[in-house]
PDB file of all heavy atoms in Angstrom:
ATOM      1  N   LEU Q 272      57.297  -5.886  14.314  1.00 96.00           N
ATOM      2  CA  LEU Q 272      56.202  -5.080  14.852  1.00 96.00           C
ATOM      3  C   LEU Q 272      55.032  -5.055  13.871  1.00 96.00           C
ATOM      4  O   LEU Q 272      53.878  -5.185  14.271  1.00 96.00           O
ATOM      5  CB  LEU Q 272      56.689  -3.652  15.123  1.00 96.00           C
ATOM      6  CG  LEU Q 272      55.629  -2.660  15.622  1.00 96.00           C
ATOM      7  CD1 LEU Q 272      55.083  -3.090  16.977  1.00 96.00           C
ATOM      8  CD2 LEU Q 272      56.214  -1.240  15.703  1.00 96.00           C
ATOM      9  N   TRP Q 273      55.325  -4.872  12.601  1.00 97.00           N
ATOM     10  CA  TRP Q 273      54.295  -4.865  11.558  1.00 97.00           C
ATOM     11  C   TRP Q 273      53.513  -6.179  11.566  1.00 97.00           C
ATOM     12  O   TRP Q 273      52.276  -6.181  11.502  1.00 97.00           O
ATOM     13  CB  TRP Q 273      54.959  -4.629  10.211  1.00 97.00           C
ATOM     14  CG  TRP Q 273      54.051  -4.611   9.027  1.00 97.00           C
ATOM     15  CD1 TRP Q 273      53.786  -5.646   8.182  1.00 97.00           C
ATOM     16  CD2 TRP Q 273      53.300  -3.497   8.523  1.00 97.00           C
ATOM     17  NE1 TRP Q 273      52.925  -5.260   7.180  1.00 97.00           N
ATOM     18  CE2 TRP Q 273      52.598  -3.946   7.365  1.00 97.00           C
ATOM     19  CE3 TRP Q 273      53.142  -2.181   8.935  1.00 97.00           C
ATOM     20  CZ2 TRP Q 273      51.769  -3.107   6.624  1.00 97.00           C
ATOM     21  CZ3 TRP Q 273      52.310  -1.346   8.193  1.00 97.00           C
ATOM     22  CH2 TRP Q 273      51.630  -1.800   7.061  1.00 97.00           C
ATOM     23  N   MET Q 274      54.225  -7.294  11.642  1.00 97.00           N
ATOM     24  CA  MET Q 274      53.570  -8.599  11.630  1.00 97.00           C
ATOM     25  C   MET Q 274      52.683  -8.772  12.860  1.00 97.00           C
ATOM     26  O   MET Q 274      51.579  -9.315  12.784  1.00 97.00           O
ATOM     27  CB  MET Q 274      54.611  -9.719  11.579  1.00 97.00           C
ATOM     28  CG  MET Q 274      55.398  -9.796  10.274  1.00 97.00           C
ATOM     29  SD  MET Q 274      54.370 -10.188   8.838  1.00 97.00           S
ATOM     30  CE  MET Q 274      53.895 -11.881   9.223  1.00 97.00           C
ATOM     31  N   ALA Q 275      53.151  -8.267  14.008  1.00 97.00           N
ATOM     32  CA  ALA Q 275      52.403  -8.432  15.254  1.00 97.00           C
ATOM     33  C   ALA Q 275      51.163  -7.543  15.317  1.00 97.00           C
ATOM     34  O   ALA Q 275      50.129  -7.943  15.866  1.00 97.00           O
ATOM     35  CB  ALA Q 275      53.313  -8.141  16.447  1.00 97.00           C
ATOM     36  N   GLU Q 276      51.250  -6.351  14.744  1.00 96.00           N
ATOM     37  CA  GLU Q 276      50.193  -5.360  14.937  1.00 96.00           C
ATOM     38  C   GLU Q 276      49.312  -5.117  13.712  1.00 96.00           C
ATOM     39  O   GLU Q 276      48.196  -4.626  13.841  1.00 96.00           O
ATOM     40  CB  GLU Q 276      50.813  -4.018  15.377  1.00 96.00           C
ATOM     41  CG  GLU Q 276      51.553  -4.086  16.694  1.00 96.00           C
ATOM     42  CD  GLU Q 276      50.626  -4.335  17.876  1.00 96.00           C
ATOM     43  OE1 GLU Q 276      49.426  -4.002  17.762  1.00 96.00           O
ATOM     44  OE2 GLU Q 276      51.103  -4.851  18.901  1.00 96.00           O
ATOM     45  N   MET Q 277      49.810  -5.418  12.515  1.00 96.00           N
ATOM     46  CA  MET Q 277      49.071  -5.070  11.306  1.00 96.00           C
ATOM     47  C   MET Q 277      48.707  -6.262  10.424  1.00 96.00           C
ATOM     48  O   MET Q 277      47.715  -6.211   9.691  1.00 96.00           O
ATOM     49  CB  MET Q 277      49.898  -4.075  10.462  1.00 96.00           C
ATOM     50  CG  MET Q 277      49.910  -2.658  10.998  1.00 96.00           C
ATOM     51  SD  MET Q 277      48.309  -1.791  10.850  1.00 96.00           S
ATOM     52  CE  MET Q 277      48.164  -1.585   9.062  1.00 96.00           C
ATOM     53  N   TYR Q 278      49.483  -7.331  10.474  1.00 96.00           N
ATOM     54  CA  TYR Q 278      49.341  -8.372   9.461  1.00 96.00           C
ATOM     55  C   TYR Q 278      47.981  -9.061   9.520  1.00 96.00           C
ATOM     56  O   TYR Q 278      47.361  -9.312   8.473  1.00 96.00           O
ATOM     57  CB  TYR Q 278      50.453  -9.408   9.582  1.00 96.00           C
ATOM     58  CG  TYR Q 278      50.469 -10.381   8.428  1.00 96.00           C
ATOM     59  CD1 TYR Q 278      50.999 -10.020   7.204  1.00 96.00           C
ATOM     60  CD2 TYR Q 278      49.906 -11.653   8.563  1.00 96.00           C
ATOM     61  CE1 TYR Q 278      50.987 -10.895   6.130  1.00 96.00           C
ATOM     62  CE2 TYR Q 278      49.888 -12.537   7.494  1.00 96.00           C
ATOM     63  CZ  TYR Q 278      50.433 -12.148   6.276  1.00 96.00           C
ATOM     64  OH  TYR Q 278      50.407 -13.013   5.216  1.00 96.00           O
ATOM     65  N   ASP Q 279      47.496  -9.383  10.699  1.00 96.00           N
ATOM     66  CA  ASP Q 279      46.202 -10.070  10.792  1.00 96.00           C
ATOM     67  C   ASP Q 279      45.089  -9.218  10.197  1.00 96.00           C
ATOM     68  O   ASP Q 279      44.203  -9.722   9.480  1.00 96.00           O
ATOM     69  CB  ASP Q 279      45.879 -10.408  12.248  1.00 96.00           C
ATOM     70  CG  ASP Q 279      46.727 -11.556  12.779  1.00 96.00           C
ATOM     71  OD1 ASP Q 279      47.385 -12.224  11.957  1.00 96.00           O
ATOM     72  OD2 ASP Q 279      46.739 -11.758  14.007  1.00 96.00           O
ATOM     73  N   PHE Q 280      45.105  -7.906  10.504  1.00 96.00           N
ATOM     74  CA  PHE Q 280      44.101  -7.007   9.931  1.00 96.00           C
ATOM     75  C   PHE Q 280      44.208  -6.984   8.410  1.00 96.00           C
ATOM     76  O   PHE Q 280      43.199  -7.075   7.698  1.00 96.00           O
ATOM     77  CB  PHE Q 280      44.276  -5.593  10.486  1.00 96.00           C
ATOM     78  CG  PHE Q 280      43.503  -4.551   9.732  1.00 96.00           C
ATOM     79  CD1 PHE Q 280      42.145  -4.380   9.950  1.00 96.00           C
ATOM     80  CD2 PHE Q 280      44.130  -3.747   8.769  1.00 96.00           C
ATOM     81  CE1 PHE Q 280      41.421  -3.436   9.236  1.00 96.00           C
ATOM     82  CE2 PHE Q 280      43.415  -2.802   8.055  1.00 96.00           C
ATOM     83  CZ  PHE Q 280      42.059  -2.645   8.291  1.00 96.00           C
ATOM     84  N   LEU Q 281      45.426  -6.858   7.909  1.00 96.00           N
ATOM     85  CA  LEU Q 281      45.617  -6.799   6.462  1.00 96.00           C
ATOM     86  C   LEU Q 281      45.185  -8.094   5.782  1.00 96.00           C
ATOM     87  O   LEU Q 281      44.654  -8.069   4.662  1.00 96.00           O
ATOM     88  CB  LEU Q 281      47.088  -6.500   6.140  1.00 96.00           C
ATOM     89  CG  LEU Q 281      47.593  -5.110   6.561  1.00 96.00           C
ATOM     90  CD1 LEU Q 281      49.096  -5.024   6.380  1.00 96.00           C
ATOM     91  CD2 LEU Q 281      46.894  -4.018   5.763  1.00 96.00           C
ATOM     92  N   SER Q 282      45.397  -9.221   6.447  1.00 96.00           N
ATOM     93  CA  SER Q 282      45.007 -10.508   5.865  1.00 96.00           C
ATOM     94  C   SER Q 282      43.504 -10.578   5.645  1.00 96.00           C
ATOM     95  O   SER Q 282      43.032 -11.228   4.700  1.00 96.00           O
ATOM     96  CB  SER Q 282      45.465 -11.660   6.767  1.00 96.00           C
ATOM     97  OG  SER Q 282      46.870 -11.716   6.825  1.00 96.00           O
ATOM     98  N   GLU Q 283      42.738  -9.905   6.510  1.00 95.00           N
ATOM     99  CA  GLU Q 283      41.291  -9.887   6.353  1.00 95.00           C
ATOM    100  C   GLU Q 283      40.868  -9.163   5.072  1.00 95.00           C
ATOM    101  O   GLU Q 283      39.781  -9.408   4.535  1.00 95.00           O
ATOM    102  CB  GLU Q 283      40.635  -9.200   7.554  1.00 95.00           C
ATOM    103  CG  GLU Q 283      40.856  -9.918   8.882  1.00 95.00           C
ATOM    104  CD  GLU Q 283      40.315  -9.117  10.053  1.00 95.00           C
ATOM    105  OE1 GLU Q 283      39.708  -8.048   9.805  1.00 95.00           O
ATOM    106  OE2 GLU Q 283      40.507  -9.539  11.203  1.00 95.00           O
ATOM    107  N   LEU Q 284      41.750  -8.265   4.583  1.00 95.00           N
ATOM    108  CA  LEU Q 284      41.408  -7.479   3.393  1.00 95.00           C
ATOM    109  C   LEU Q 284      41.686  -8.232   2.101  1.00 95.00           C
ATOM    110  O   LEU Q 284      41.248  -7.787   1.030  1.00 95.00           O
ATOM    111  CB  LEU Q 284      42.196  -6.155   3.390  1.00 95.00           C
ATOM    112  CG  LEU Q 284      42.074  -5.260   4.620  1.00 95.00           C
ATOM    113  CD1 LEU Q 284      42.786  -3.940   4.379  1.00 95.00           C
ATOM    114  CD2 LEU Q 284      40.621  -5.025   5.011  1.00 95.00           C
ATOM    115  N   ASP Q 285      42.418  -9.345   2.212  1.00 93.00           N
ATOM    116  CA  ASP Q 285      42.753 -10.104   0.999  1.00 93.00           C
ATOM    117  C   ASP Q 285      41.501 -10.476   0.201  1.00 93.00           C
ATOM    118  O   ASP Q 285      41.504 -10.448  -1.031  1.00 93.00           O
ATOM    119  CB  ASP Q 285      43.527 -11.382   1.359  1.00 93.00           C
ATOM    120  CG  ASP Q 285      44.986 -11.099   1.700  1.00 93.00           C
ATOM    121  OD1 ASP Q 285      45.409  -9.933   1.565  1.00 93.00           O
ATOM    122  OD2 ASP Q 285      45.698 -12.032   2.110  1.00 93.00           O
ATOM    123  N   SER Q 286      40.438 -10.825   0.918  1.00 91.00           N
ATOM    124  CA  SER Q 286      39.211 -11.254   0.244  1.00 91.00           C
ATOM    125  C   SER Q 286      38.275 -10.088  -0.079  1.00 91.00           C
ATOM    126  O   SER Q 286      37.285 -10.266  -0.794  1.00 91.00           O
ATOM    127  CB  SER Q 286      38.463 -12.275   1.116  1.00 91.00           C
ATOM    128  OG  SER Q 286      38.116 -11.701   2.361  1.00 91.00           O
TER     129      SER Q 286
END
Side-chain angles (χ1 to χ4, degrees):
L272 177 63
W273 179 263
M274 292 296 292
E276 298 292 336
M277 284 290 291
Y278 189 78
D279 287 348
F280 167 79
L281 294 171
S282 295
E283 297 174 4
L284 305 186
D285 283 355
S286 60

